[in-house]
Amino acid sequence: MSKVNVHIQPVVINRETIQAMLGGISRTTFWRKRQKWAAAGTPFPDPAPDTNPAKGGEQYRYSDVIKFCKRQGLIDEQE
């Protein structure tokens, strides 16, 4: 039997993972960026419903975060 790796995108990611995706920013910087985006009329996605903050902070839907980052120009559309 051979080993097969299946690559599946995560369903939810936590705040710490998002901070790492944004270049390793701090919790305070992430909070300030969320305030700035909300004031500009492009709010960051809400935390995933029915999830409790675990180690690493609030949990967000991976797909919502990626869509937001693409709209903001934080990641390339081809990725």
Side-chain angles (χ1 to χ4, degrees):
M1 190 175 256
S2 64
K3 182 177 179 181
V4 177
N5 290 328
V6 178
H7 298 283
I8 300 173
Q9 290 182 340
V11 176
V12 293
I13 55 176
N14 63 20
R15 176 189 41 79
E16 285 183 347
T17 304
I18 296 168
Q19 288 171 221
M21 289 170 55
L22 295 173
I25 62 175
S26 70
R27 182 172 46 183
T28 302
T29 301
F30 180 58
W31 182 83
R32 287 180 182 149
K33 284 189 173 289
R34 286 182 21 227
Q35 300 301 312
K36 179 181 164 189
W37 291 324
T42 55
F44 193 77
D46 292 327
D50 300 326
T51 60
N52 295 322
K55 183 178 180 191
E58 290 283 349
Q59 297 179 356
Y60 297 85
R61 287 187 186 102
Y62 178 81
S63 59
D64 291 347
V65 172
I66 295 300
K67 287 177 190 173
F68 174 81
C69 290
K70 286 181 180 178
R71 283 194 313 264
Q72 293 297 109
L74 300 172
I75 59 176
D76 192 15
E77 283 290 328
Q78 282 98 17
E79 291 184 32

